[in-house]
């Protein structure tokens, strides 16, 4: 039945209904469909995995901490009765790990219908990935860019298929600083996050353009302000999140737009869009700049050493 909460979910109290935001009303089943969700061992990703598993999908939880991943998968299998919830190791801060994940997935899985690039880092002190990329850029953008590149042919073979990039309202504060992508000249951890979220929007825009006619769509979304572990790198934000927790979305509420983009029948041919609260949302002027999107695409390929025409 449309709009019915799953077992164990309590309807939000009246003051929180505004905070809770939109809810995915689609009752679409996903039997016979396969989904990969990055960072699905916790938070929004875990709730997204739970919902897709409840709808019958084969769900691969792709995460760095496989122990937490196995615990999440076990919980989801027990709650949904769906035994097809699996865990594979993926460290988006290491291109070697990304390639190993893709090789393993492609060798074992014959179909992929939904790719949700959900994992992310926020407010990290300055640090670099295994390949020397600034951490926000490397994990939030370049890691998912490479993963999508490596899995794209399987998505095309399984079409209709969907790619969903979890961005943020924070993209409005972002700029693509081509002269200092790795933040070596100047660095602000909050702005670095915003820059990477803008990169998600621009990647989605250019990817959708290139995928026209393939029956593979690409959309981005803002999940809302959600009470998760994402702010763990900032003591101040961690305390603020605790104080304001009543006014933040729960992980289940935050997952609703991801689920909507993955299952809603009306989005089957919609691509290159940005959603929030299960409806189209405003994109910053920087996020609508096609020339910047194309340049970022080319620079990303150069940094990763790939050719993606």
């Amino acid at each position: 039945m449309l709009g019915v909460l799953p077992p164990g979910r309590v309807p939000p109290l009246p003051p929180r209904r505004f905070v809770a935001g939109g809810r995915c009303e689609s009752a679409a089943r996903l039997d016979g469909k396969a989904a990969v969700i990055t960072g699905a061992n916790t938070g929004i990703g875990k709730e997204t995995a739970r919902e897709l598993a409840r709808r019958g999908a084969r769900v691969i939880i792709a995460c760095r901490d496989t122990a937490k991943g196995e615990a999440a998968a076990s919980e989801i299998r027990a709650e949904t009765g769906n035994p097809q919830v699996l865990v594979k190791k993926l460290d988006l801060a290491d291109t070697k790990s990304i390639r190993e994940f893709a090789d393993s997935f492609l060798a074992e899985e014959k179909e992929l219908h939904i790719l949700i690039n959900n994992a992310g880092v926020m407010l990290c002190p300055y640090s670099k990935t295994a390949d020397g990329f600034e951490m926000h850029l490397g994990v939030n953008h370049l890691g998912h860019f490479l993963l999508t590149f490596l899995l794209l042919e399987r998505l095309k073979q399984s079409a209709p298929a969907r790619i969903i990039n979890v961005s943020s309202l924070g993209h409005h504060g972002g700029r693509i600083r081509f002269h200092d992508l790795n933040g070596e000249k100047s660095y602000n951890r909050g702005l670095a996050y915003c820059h990477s979220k803008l990169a998600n929007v621009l990647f989605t825009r250019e990817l959708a353009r290139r995928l026209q006619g393939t029956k593979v769509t690409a959309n981005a979304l803002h999940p809302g302000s959600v009470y998760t572990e994402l702010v763990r790198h900032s003591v101040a934000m961690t305390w603020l999140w605790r104080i304001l927790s009543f006014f933040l979305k729960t992980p289940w509420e935050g997952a609703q737009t991801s689920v909507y983009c993955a299952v809603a029948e009306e989005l089957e041919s919609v691509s290159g869009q940005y959603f929030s609260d299960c409806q189209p949302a405003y994109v910053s002027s920087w996020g609508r700049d096609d020339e910047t999107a194309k340049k970022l695409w080319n620079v990303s390929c150069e940094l990763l050493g790939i050719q993606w025409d």
Side-chain angles (χ1 to χ4, degrees):
M1 185 179 296
L2 299 185
V4 174
L5 288 165
R9 303 294 171 188
V10 178
L13 296 171
R16 285 204 76 260
R17 285 178 182 162
F18 176 77
V19 175
R23 183 183 301 168
C24 178
E25 300 290 343
S26 171
R29 295 287 303 173
L30 296 173
D31 303 283
K33 304 292 186 181
V36 167
I37 309 172
T38 66
N41 57 323
T42 188
I44 297 170
K46 179 180 174 182
E47 294 305 321
T48 304
R50 191 193 312 272
E51 184 56 35
L52 268 55
R54 181 177 287 113
R55 294 168 183 260
R58 179 177 177 83
V59 178
I60 290 84
I61 293 175
C63 61
R64 183 179 60 178
D65 188 336
T66 54
K68 287 183 70 173
E70 291 293 353
S74 177
E75 176 187 320
I76 293 170
R77 287 193 296 264
E79 181 180 318
T80 65
N82 182 346
Q84 298 190 90
V85 181
L86 313 173
V87 178
K88 285 186 177 294
K89 184 174 179 60
L90 171 66
D91 183 353
L92 288 162
D94 186 346
T95 58
K96 180 181 177 182
S97 173
I98 298 169
R99 291 183 178 277
E100 288 174 348
F101 169 87
D103 288 343
S104 173
F105 176 86
L106 294 173
E108 297 173 10
E109 304 290 336
K110 301 307 177 186
E111 293 184 303
L112 177 58
H113 304 92
I114 301 168
L115 171 61
I116 303 181
N117 291 320
N118 164 85
V121 294
M122 180 181 183
L123 301 175
C124 297
Y126 189 79
S127 56
K128 291 187 175 182
T129 68
D131 302 276
F133 306 129
E134 186 277 316
M135 191 62 69
H136 295 89
L137 174 77
V139 172
N140 296 353
H141 170 59
L142 291 173
H144 284 128
F145 188 96
L146 178 59
L147 178 65
T148 305
F149 167 74
L150 296 171
L151 299 182
L152 188 58
E153 286 307 311
R154 189 54 46 89
L155 284 157
K156 288 180 178 179
Q157 293 165 7
S158 308
R162 304 185 188 193
I163 299 166
I164 296 126
N165 294 321
V166 178
S167 180
S168 168
L169 182 69
H171 86 271
H172 286 271
R175 303 291 185 270
I176 303 302
R177 304 169 69 245
F178 289 108
H179 66 287
D180 190 26
L181 281 177
N182 283 312
E184 294 170 331
K185 297 178 181 178
S186 64
Y187 180 76
N188 176 288
R189 63 172 76 181
L191 288 177
Y193 173 75
C194 293
H195 300 334
S196 71
K197 295 291 102 177
L198 174 60
N200 293 155
V201 172
L202 291 168
F203 169 44
T204 303
R205 188 176 184 87
E206 180 64 10
L207 179 61
R209 186 185 71 81
R210 290 168 177 256
L211 289 176
Q212 290 177 12
T214 66
K215 294 188 177 181
V216 178
T217 61
N219 290 297
L221 65 93
H222 167 56
S225 297
V226 186
Y227 189 54
T228 69
E229 300 174 359
L230 189 61
V231 298
R232 64 187 179 277
H233 294 291
S234 170
V235 174
M237 286 297 291
T238 298
W239 277 104
L240 182 62
W241 245 227
R242 289 175 181 171
I243 294 168
L244 299 177
S245 61
F246 183 80
F247 301 100
L248 300 173
K249 289 184 178 183
T250 66
W252 182 82
E253 291 163 351
Q256 291 303 297
T257 305
S258 293
V259 174
Y260 172 73
C261 289
V263 308
E265 298 92 332
E266 63 268 27
L267 298 186
E268 185 171 346
S269 60
V270 173
S271 194
Q273 300 302 306
Y274 172 76
F275 295 87
S276 178
D277 283 330
C278 301
Q279 60 186 357
Y282 180 75
V283 177
S284 74
S285 59
W286 292 95
R288 289 179 273 118
D289 188 323
D290 289 332
E291 291 307 310
T292 300
K294 292 174 184 176
K295 184 175 180 180
L296 178 63
W297 183 285
N298 292 332
V299 169
S300 299
C301 287
E302 291 174 11
L303 290 171
L304 292 166
I306 60 176
Q307 186 172 351
W308 192 353
D309 298 322

